[in-house]
Amino acid sequence: MESAGCSAAAVGNPDMGSQRDLSLVPERLQRREQERQLEVEKRKQKRQNQEVEEEKSDFFAAAFSRERAAVEELLEGEESVERLEEATSRLQGLQKLLNDSVLFLAPYDLRQGQEALTHLQAALAERRQELQPKKRFAFKTRRKDAALATKVDTAPVAPAAEGIMTPSLPLKDEEALGFSWACGFSNLEFQVLEKLADEVHQRDILLTELSNCTIKLYGNPNTLRLTKARSCKVLCGPVSTSVFLEDCSDCILAVACQQLRLHSTTNTRIFLQVTSRAIVEDCSGIQFAPYTWSYPGIEKDFQGSGLDRSKNNWTNVDDFNWLARDVASPNWSILPEEERKIQWD
């Protein structure tokens, strides 16, 4: 009777019935509606973010293609110091454009951009060499290295380097590798080697076939290439453009640069400051830590290199042999903090 009375009351009073319906039905349905609206917003935001990334990628592709064509035109035209200066400036701008775009570029696009830059840098170095008489340049280099070797042999302030020859690469080895414009060391074992700031300034450094050596490069090189090194420690000041390692093992490298690439390298620790993303390919056992090497005058070298010292992407590494985005590459890792204490001297 009471139930029937209540039903009758509800029928008699529609407002009372609707209020009770709103209090009983809603909680579950309201939650579903809120979840549905949130999902709609998420999809909308994702779509907007994707559109923004596509717009950025399109802008990058157009800007990169335009600047690349301009650099190629400068390198292919009549050779002059002025044209090479402009090509150098534009190439640095192109490198900065790529560095600023690494967060939204697909790995393939990033790889293509970096390969294009490497090709242009090699072409620029070749044009620079063509502007200099080869014989006079080779004579000058040998004379300078002979003077340096004499200085190192007799210098009482550097006992660790006493009696150690520090020759640059033989000219035939440099030319065979396409590095006739480089300076560096080769075919040495158990040596302590160094080059000073005025020797490496904006030069291309090649270190090859070294074993159990410690190499210190003070100053601001243009590029650094390390190949066929075994159990070596390489400490280098800020490099304006790229650093490339190939066929190295059990090494320690400390370097700051715009671009780092490793190929066929194993069990190597890298103390790094880099403005773009590092690349590893056909590598294993690579460990990364932040750049910590220091020496008097390094701040001036950073300023001259054009590197932004406040920007360091040392943890952002692309492994070209590992395409799974949701699983970390087994080929590289972060060096634990307790293992970062290195005796640089």
Side-chain angles (χ1 to χ4, degrees):
M1 290 289 293
E2 184 177 350
S3 175
C6 288
S7 298
V11 171
N13 188 350
D15 292 338
M16 176 181 173
S18 65
Q19 288 175 2
R20 186 163 56 186
D21 287 344
L22 286 172
S23 64
L24 294 176
V25 172
E27 270 191 44
R28 191 166 58 248
L29 293 181
Q30 284 178 8
R31 278 200 304 271
R32 287 181 182 174
E33 178 62 18
Q34 288 173 351
E35 290 171 358
R36 187 188 70 81
Q37 290 178 357
L38 284 173
E39 186 62 28
V40 168
E41 285 299 318
K42 284 181 182 178
R43 290 177 182 174
K44 182 179 177 182
Q45 187 64 44
K46 184 177 179 180
R47 188 167 58 251
Q48 289 175 344
N49 291 342
Q50 186 175 355
E51 289 173 356
V52 169
E53 286 196 4
E54 288 174 355
E55 288 176 3
K56 287 181 177 179
S57 296
D58 290 343
F59 170 80
F60 167 81
F64 191 90
S65 177
R66 183 175 62 251
E67 285 301 300
R68 177 182 178 180
V71 174
E72 288 174 343
E73 183 179 351
L74 288 167
L75 294 177
E76 291 171 0
E78 181 183 354
E79 293 180 2
S80 69
V81 174
E82 291 75 16
R83 290 178 70 89
L84 290 188
E85 289 293 334
E86 184 179 351
T88 301
S89 177
R90 282 182 173 270
L91 194 53
Q92 289 175 347
L94 204 55
Q95 179 76 63
K96 186 177 186 305
L97 174 64
L98 184 63
N99 293 345
D100 293 342
S101 306
V102 294
L103 296 179
F104 61 81
L105 284 180
Y108 174 80
D109 293 332
L110 179 61
R111 181 176 185 175
Q112 290 295 103
Q114 288 173 328
E115 288 179 352
L117 277 174
T118 300
H119 174 76
L120 290 174
Q121 287 165 353
L124 177 60
E126 185 178 343
R127 296 299 181 275
R128 282 177 180 164
Q129 177 63 17
E130 288 172 357
L131 282 179
Q132 301 182 30
K134 289 186 178 180
K135 288 185 178 180
R136 192 175 70 181
F137 180 81
F139 173 76
K140 201 174 172 186
T141 301
R142 288 175 177 173
R143 185 175 61 185
K144 183 175 181 180
D145 287 334
L148 175 62
T150 303
K151 180 180 177 182
V152 172
D153 284 339
T154 58
V157 295
E162 198 168 346
I164 295 172
M165 297 295 288
T166 57
S168 287
L169 290 167
L171 192 59
K172 59 184 178 69
D173 291 342
E174 293 176 359
E175 290 174 347
L177 290 170
F179 276 80
S180 59
W181 34 270
C183 70
F185 302 102
S186 69
N187 299 294
L188 293 170
E189 295 182 337
F190 299 96
Q191 305 286 336
V192 177
L193 311 166
E194 70 174 34
K195 282 193 177 290
L196 303 180
D198 60 341
E199 298 174 87
V200 305
H201 181 67
Q202 285 301 298
R203 296 192 68 182
D204 301 285
I205 310 300
L206 177 59
L207 309 174
T208 185
E209 297 189 52
L210 302 173
S211 177
N212 294 282
C213 291
T214 295
I215 304 99
K216 296 182 181 181
L217 305 171
Y218 301 96
N220 166 218
N222 182 49
T223 64
L224 170 63
R225 184 182 180 99
L226 176 65
T227 66
K228 300 179 182 178
R230 303 289 180 264
S231 303
C232 289
K233 183 191 294 185
V234 179
L235 314 177
C236 185
V239 177
S240 291
T241 56
S242 60
V243 174
F244 181 69
L245 274 71
E246 184 173 31
D247 191 17
C248 298
S249 64
D250 304 298
C251 292
I252 296 174
L253 170 67
V255 70
C257 58
Q258 281 189 350
Q259 176 187 343
L260 173 73
R261 185 163 182 172
L262 285 74
H263 186 261
S264 302
T265 292
T266 59
N267 303 324
T268 292
R269 287 178 285 174
I270 300 178
F271 293 79
L272 177 66
Q273 175 159 342
V274 64
T275 53
S276 63
R277 299 174 71 91
I279 292 175
V280 298
E281 187 174 16
D282 298 329
C283 296
S284 64
I286 308 299
Q287 293 182 298
F288 291 95
Y291 183 71
T292 54
W293 190 48
S294 186
Y295 56 86
I298 192 171
E299 293 299 333
K300 182 180 178 181
D301 291 333
F302 262 103
Q303 292 173 5
S305 71
L307 299 179
D308 182 356
R309 190 150 199 195
S310 65
K311 187 174 184 180
N312 192 358
N313 293 315
W314 68 276
T315 59
N316 296 328
V317 181
D318 291 324
D319 184 351
F320 284 172
N321 298 105
W322 190 260
L323 302 180
R325 294 196 171 202
D326 54 342
V327 180
S329 166
N331 299 318
W332 69 273
S333 62
I334 302 299
L335 183 66
E337 288 193 21
E338 61 271 17
E339 297 179 27
R340 297 179 189 175
K341 296 178 180 178
I342 302 294
Q343 189 66 37
W344 298 122
D345 296 330

